[in-house]
Amino acid sequence: KFQAEKILTGVEQPFVMRGHLIRHSQRGLLWIVEYPFYSLHLIREDGVWEADIPQGPKRPLHQPYAIRLKQLLMQLFRADIESLKEGFTISVTREKNNWLLELKPELFWLSKAIERIEIRLDRTVESIFIYEVQGAQLRLSFSEHQNDNPELQPDEAADFSP
């Protein structure tokens, strides 16, 4: 499960989203927002798709920025440090009970939008904070972690198909 808070400069209350995330090493990443509205993003090596109704048709995403950002999420959740090193300066700090990874973008297109990304993890990713250049923040918190490659329900297995 996850909770995301989008904090915008000049806006008093954050925009809150809740849902769940399924990471499967062979099938990809399934990001499902359940509150305040439904949306689904399927992120795989061969593309990115979205849907706005449960079990509805998925539309491929073609916007380069959206595709790159979604693929970045896949790298983050895989903890693919080698791939991340290609686009970020990475620093690692030990905190009380977990680790903090700070990523600063080196890629031009990403540095125009993102100032830095902070990832807190122990055995799993606990949170990801994305600090945008314009001052906005996206704070993702994760709970109820499961192992990779969970046994999928029939509807979840169908969601992994474009």
Side-chain angles (χ1 to χ4, degrees):
K1 293 189 178 229
F2 75 88
Q3 176 168 308
E5 294 181 354
K6 180 72 173 190
I7 301 166
L8 302 170
T9 49
V11 177
E12 197 169 307
Q13 295 291 323
F15 178 70
V16 177
M17 297 175 283
R18 292 184 191 93
H20 67 279
L21 180 76
I22 302 171
R23 188 173 76 89
H24 196 282
S25 64
Q26 285 89 36
R27 296 180 182 221
L29 186 65
L30 196 57
W31 185 280
I32 300 172
V33 176
E34 298 161 334
Y35 171 88
F37 52 82
Y38 180 89
S39 73
L40 175 145
H41 287 89
L42 170 61
I43 306 162
R44 302 185 341 179
E45 291 295 330
D46 59 342
V48 178
W49 294 265
E50 65 181 354
D52 52 15
I53 58 172
Q55 283 77 51
K58 295 180 189 74
R59 300 173 302 280
L61 281 178
H62 298 293
Q63 302 92 341
Y65 180 76
I67 292 170
R68 288 177 183 153
L69 203 52
K70 303 263 184 243
Q71 289 171 335
L72 171 62
L73 282 174
M74 239 176 131
Q75 292 173 337
L76 291 172
F77 281 101
R78 282 186 183 155
D80 186 352
I81 300 298
E82 290 308 311
S83 293
L84 289 169
K85 281 182 183 177
E86 294 173 12
F88 293 91
T89 300
I90 301 174
S91 64
V92 180
T93 309
R94 178 77 172 147
E95 294 186 330
K96 293 178 186 175
N97 295 322
N98 58 17
W99 294 91
L100 171 65
L101 273 66
E102 185 177 78
L103 289 74
K104 292 189 178 178
E106 293 180 345
L107 298 172
F108 178 77
W109 67 270
L110 196 54
S111 67
K112 290 296 181 190
I114 296 175
E115 178 186 318
R116 74 182 187 281
I117 300 171
E118 293 179 356
I119 304 166
R120 283 181 173 71
L121 62 143
D122 189 4
R123 292 187 179 121
T124 58
V125 175
E126 302 296 328
S127 66
I128 299 174
F129 290 3
I130 301 174
Y131 297 88
E132 298 177 20
V133 171
Q134 299 298 324
Q137 297 176 26
L138 178 61
R139 296 181 175 189
L140 300 162
S141 303
F142 303 96
S143 62
E144 298 182 32
H145 300 281
Q146 294 182 357
N147 295 330
D148 290 346
N149 303 333
E151 186 174 326
L152 300 172
Q153 300 299 317
D155 60 329
E156 294 170 333
D159 284 340
F160 272 104
S161 298

